[in-house]
Amino acid sequence: MSGRALHFGRYDYAGFSAFMTYALCSLSIPVMIVEMGKDLNFPLDQGGMAAGGILHLTRSISMVAALLLCGTISVRLGKRLTMGYCLLLIGGGILLCAFSPAYWLLIPCLLIAGFGEGICEGIATPFIQDLHPDAPERYVNISHSFWSIGIGAVVIIAGGLLTLGVNWRIVLAAIGILTLLSSTLLLWKENPGKKYPENHAGSSIRDIWHYSLEIVRVPRFWICCLAMFFGAGAEFGLTFWSAAYVQLNFHTGAWVAGLGTGAIALGMFIGRTGFGYFARPQYLRYILLGTGLGTIPLTLLLAFLEPGMMPNWLLFTVLFLLLVLSGIGIAPFWPTVQVYGVSSMPKLDSTMLYIYFSALGIPGCGFFTWLMGLIGDHFGLKGAVLVVPVCLAFFSAVIYLECWILEKRRKRLM
């Protein structure tokens, strides 16, 4: 079945829109964080990096809370309406951030946005899987590639507008409004003949509790969660701080810094689209192990680049090439670990697995983003970038451990 031609319908495009606007909102803060820091009194070049990292750490806490509740919410409302309403929360929270007069008021606004993002994170992947149960590994990777398109759009367009002198509040408000509008693709009245194929995980909280107990008793689930934690730390830590890293370390404007994050997004789009097209269930673990190990030297090289070590044209060529290749390398971590975990535990409820995998991935995003900011305050962002290859090394070790356990089990059964 996985060799069939790809077919997309209304809800595929709604899912693509959700991933893209979710990325717009999620990356809007890091892209504008240098300007926000100057305006709201936490300048990054004067010890404000940890404060910047706290913004996403706070957001992550809200996302985890939402992830733990989104299974119950989706059972009550259905995945289609749940996705629509979560985009309203995301867009509304970001819109409120645009009007925040002080740093501390950003936190409640991001709690609102984070709650919506947590629901989207938990439901978006099973939302796509229910549309294509015959080949989820292909459609899930492709839909996740629109996250990368959203990243590219926000860093290039928003970075360009900031460079032209447009106030960050105007740009952030526009992103919030666009996200609110995208919710209509999901909330608009359905065609009676083409309704979303709702596949409820259960009919009560008791059912969800039963599925959850089944899941947490399986050792392989925790191995996949550990991989999600470190993989998410590498992916989002690099993505979150890349614009600030380029702007502060290479003394560029916001637009060029945005192009740095855009290079990662381009790599992630190429990687996820490519892996989505060619991925087959039996190859997923090898894709994860190969990309994890292969990306370590790329991210190590990023930490040693500095102005003056070569002509500027060559320096920026090498920098952007490394960022694109790193983006390709980290591309499969989030969607492929989830699909691999679900496919390797077919007797467990897939929707709840996706939710719990994300619930362990989001703390990885928040923790390592904050840790990189903290290290950046003391050793600069070049030192902070070293956190990424460390995450990749742990991620690869976890995937290798899973492969070793699986091989050992197969030999025992022979």
Side-chain angles (χ1 to χ4, degrees):
M1 286 187 178
S2 58
R4 292 178 180 175
L6 298 168
H7 296 286
F8 302 107
R10 167 186 168 178
Y11 293 114
D12 288 295
Y13 299 120
F16 299 161
S17 174
F19 275 106
M20 187 167 66
T21 51
Y22 171 22
L24 286 173
C25 292
S26 185
L27 268 294
S28 59
I29 301 298
V31 166
M32 303 177 199
I33 197 166
V34 175
E35 283 70 24
M36 292 174 69
K38 294 174 183 177
D39 197 15
L40 300 179
N41 200 29
F42 63 102
L44 267 63
D45 56 353
Q46 298 177 31
M49 291 185 192
I54 285 173
L55 290 178
H56 190 74
L57 182 62
T58 303
R59 193 180 199 168
S60 298
I61 293 171
S62 181
M63 291 178 74
V64 172
L67 279 162
L68 297 176
L69 295 172
C70 67
T72 303
I73 295 171
S74 68
V75 165
R76 300 299 187 198
L77 299 178
K79 293 189 182 73
R80 179 181 69 88
L81 291 177
T82 301
M83 285 285 289
Y85 292 138
C86 78
L87 290 178
L88 291 179
L89 288 173
I90 296 171
I94 292 298
L95 186 60
L96 289 173
C97 285
F99 296 98
S100 177
Y103 169 83
W104 65 271
L105 282 174
L106 288 173
I107 293 177
C109 300
L110 288 174
L111 286 174
I112 295 171
F115 195 84
E117 288 174 343
I119 295 173
C120 186
E121 189 62 60
I123 299 299
T125 300
F127 176 84
I128 296 295
Q129 171 160 302
D130 284 356
L131 292 170
H132 306 284
D134 56 333
E137 68 279 355
R138 304 181 73 192
Y139 289 92
V140 166
N141 267 288
I142 290 171
S143 63
H144 274 258
S145 71
F146 281 81
W147 162 271
S148 307
I149 293 175
I151 294 174
V154 71
V155 297
I156 294 172
I157 298 174
L161 291 172
L162 292 173
T163 301
L164 292 173
V166 178
N167 191 282
W168 64 268
R169 295 182 187 274
I170 296 174
V171 181
L172 201 61
I175 291 172
I177 291 170
L178 180 62
T179 304
L180 292 174
L181 292 174
S182 71
S183 68
T184 59
L185 291 173
L186 292 151
L187 299 176
W188 197 264
K189 185 177 180 180
E190 287 190 294
N191 184 329
K194 296 183 179 179
K195 288 191 174 184
Y196 177 78
E198 293 289 356
N199 178 24
H200 295 289
S203 57
S204 67
I205 295 177
R206 181 180 297 178
D207 293 319
I208 293 174
W209 179 249
H210 172 71
Y211 293 134
S212 300
L213 285 178
E214 285 185 330
I215 288 170
V216 298
R217 290 170 181 166
V218 177
R220 175 174 277 179
F221 164 74
W222 293 106
I223 294 176
C224 290
C225 284
L226 198 58
M228 285 291 298
F229 181 78
F230 288 111
E235 176 187 329
F236 201 80
L238 182 62
T239 306
F240 186 97
W241 285 112
S242 57
Y245 163 73
V246 173
Q247 188 167 356
L248 297 178
N249 278 14
F250 298 94
H251 314 295
T252 69
W255 188 72
V256 175
L259 288 179
T261 309
I264 296 175
L266 174 62
M268 290 176 69
F269 176 77
I270 294 170
R272 284 181 175 170
T273 303
F275 293 129
Y277 188 80
F278 294 108
R280 300 295 181 267
Q282 64 270 29
Y283 302 138
L284 298 182
R285 66 173 66 90
Y286 304 113
I287 289 173
L288 292 169
L289 185 59
T291 52
L293 291 172
T295 312
I296 291 174
L298 299 173
T299 51
L300 278 172
L301 287 172
L302 283 173
F304 293 98
L305 281 182
E306 58 183 26
M309 67 184 304
M310 59 184 76
N312 275 349
W313 68 269
L314 182 57
L315 176 69
F316 282 97
T317 299
V318 172
L319 171 64
F320 285 111
L321 180 60
L322 286 174
L323 291 172
V324 170
L325 293 175
S326 297
I328 294 174
I330 63 178
F333 293 172
W334 192 280
T336 304
V337 170
Q338 288 187 318
V339 173
Y340 173 69
V342 170
S343 64
S344 64
M345 294 177 276
K347 295 182 180 180
L348 302 177
D349 183 79
S350 61
T351 297
M352 297 308 298
L353 276 173
Y354 279 123
I355 290 171
Y356 288 136
F357 285 149
S358 294
L360 268 293
I362 293 300
C365 294
F367 173 75
F368 288 108
T369 298
W370 166 78
L371 181 63
M372 289 178 71
L374 185 64
I375 292 173
D377 277 339
H378 292 86
F379 304 103
L381 278 174
K382 287 182 62 177
V385 168
L386 291 173
V387 172
V388 177
V390 172
C391 284
L392 291 169
F394 278 103
F395 173 83
S396 302
V398 172
I399 297 298
Y400 181 80
L401 173 65
E402 203 281 336
C403 294
W404 179 77
I405 292 173
L406 181 64
E407 189 63 28
K408 189 174 181 181
R409 185 178 302 165
R410 282 178 178 172
K411 289 182 178 179
R412 194 186 308 129
L413 295 174
M414 291 176 64

